[in-house]
Amino acid sequence: METLRERKKQRTREALLRAALELFTTRGYERTPVDDIAEAVGVSQRTFFRYFAGKEEAAFAVQDLVEERFVAAVRARPAGETPLEALRHALTEGWDTLSEAVEDVVPVELYLRMYRLVESTPALLAAHLRRSAETEDRIARVLAAREGLDVDADPRPRIAVAVFGGVMRVTERQWSLGEDFSLDAIRALTTAYLDQVGPALTGDWRPV
């Protein structure tokens, strides 16, 4: 059973996280010092660093949660699914539970605003790409284990994840440039782009 002390620590962490994302998305990531995040919650800078190594960790804390859920969902997919099917279904069938997991920490709308900020902030985008590469390596290893392959000897798991990750990057970019910034919009765009993977890779693009 969770103790009162543990609940208090969790509330403090969530308050710091929400304050950080609110400040990042309204003021800008570079213009938000740690002191201001701590002050918004009424704690010291030292307390902030008990929960987060720095601003970057706070900026990606919710994304880390989402990615952990996604990796677990891929690992749990039925063995009969192909690797790309497992990736797609882990994402599309997990939208609602992922949204609930985010909402337990911060409003989904705030998470989506932070998602857009990443695309327009060079320091955050660079960190996002680096962290995504690390996550993709983990997913490739999960796929290799599902298929009974050696990920370091067989390139197919990494190729499959690279294709899927590329679709996600295109989706993120196009969504961030559009006018509809809702969860439904990115969900629909993701589905539409995943539908194009086969035709894009194997089809004839030239008009008849």
Side-chain angles (χ1 to χ4, degrees), residues 89-138:
H89 294 156
L91 178 66
T92 58
E93 294 180 18
W95 274 108
D96 293 334
T97 56
L98 285 175
S99 298
E100 291 169 4
V102 170
E103 194 71 43
D104 284 343
V105 182
V106 299
V108 170
E109 181 271 338
L110 177 57
Y111 168 63
L112 294 177
R113 279 196 284 135
M114 189 65 207
Y115 212 79
R116 288 178 57 206
L117 180 67
V118 168
E119 289 290 332
S120 61
T121 306
L124 287 176
L125 182 57
H128 176 51
L129 294 175
R130 185 191 74 244
R131 298 165 78 97
S132 294
E134 294 169 354
T135 300
E136 287 176 6
D137 183 70
R138 291 176 59 204

Side-chain angles (χ1 to χ4, degrees), residues 7-208:
R7 288 198 297 273
K8 183 178 179 180
K9 288 174 65 176
Q10 183 64 23
R11 285 196 298 270
T12 300
R13 184 182 187 279
E14 290 177 0
L16 284 166
L17 177 56
R18 183 165 182 167
L21 300 193
E22 288 283 6
L23 287 169
F24 292 157
T25 54
T26 55
R27 183 188 299 177
Y29 178 75
E30 303 289 3
R31 293 189 293 275
T32 302
V34 168
D35 280 344
D36 287 3
I37 300 170
E39 183 179 346
V41 180
V43 299
S44 66
Q45 183 189 86
R46 182 178 178 182
T47 298
F48 174 89
F49 285 116
R50 287 198 192 112
Y51 295 92
F52 302 102
K55 290 199 304 179
E56 181 183 306
E57 186 173 312
F60 289 101
V62 182
Q63 184 63 26
D64 288 345
L65 168 66
V66 169
E67 290 177 355
E68 286 294 333
R69 290 289 189 112
F70 178 67
V71 172
V74 174
R75 188 178 288 114
R77 293 308 304 174
E81 292 180 343
T82 67
L84 283 175
E85 285 174 340
L87 292 171
R88 177 177 181 139
H89 294 156
L91 178 66
T92 58
E93 294 180 18
W95 274 108
D96 293 334
T97 56
L98 285 175
S99 298
E100 291 169 4
V102 170
E103 194 71 43
D104 284 343
V105 182
V106 299
V108 170
E109 181 271 338
L110 177 57
Y111 168 63
L112 294 177
R113 279 196 284 135
M114 189 65 207
Y115 212 79
R116 288 178 57 206
L117 180 67
V118 168
E119 289 290 332
S120 61
T121 306
L124 287 176
L125 182 57
H128 176 51
L129 294 175
R130 185 191 74 244
R131 298 165 78 97
S132 294
E134 294 169 354
T135 300
E136 287 176 6
D137 183 70
R138 291 176 59 204
I139 297 171
R141 293 181 182 280
V142 170
L143 290 184
R146 278 172 48 91
E147 302 300 316
L149 304 175
D150 179 351
V151 73
D152 295 317
D154 192 320
R156 288 176 295 177
R158 286 198 169 95
I159 291 172
V161 173
V163 169
F164 188 82
V167 174
M168 294 302 98
R169 284 293 305 135
V170 172
T171 301
E172 291 168 4
R173 182 63 177 163
Q174 293 305 114
W175 173 76
S176 71
L177 295 174
E179 297 181 356
D180 186 347
F181 303 117
S182 68
L183 181 62
D184 286 342
I186 192 171
R187 187 174 187 169
L189 196 61
T190 300
T191 300
Y193 281 17
L194 286 173
D195 286 343
Q196 290 300 312
V197 171
L201 294 179
T202 62
D204 185 349
W205 299 359
R206 291 170 294 183
V208 177

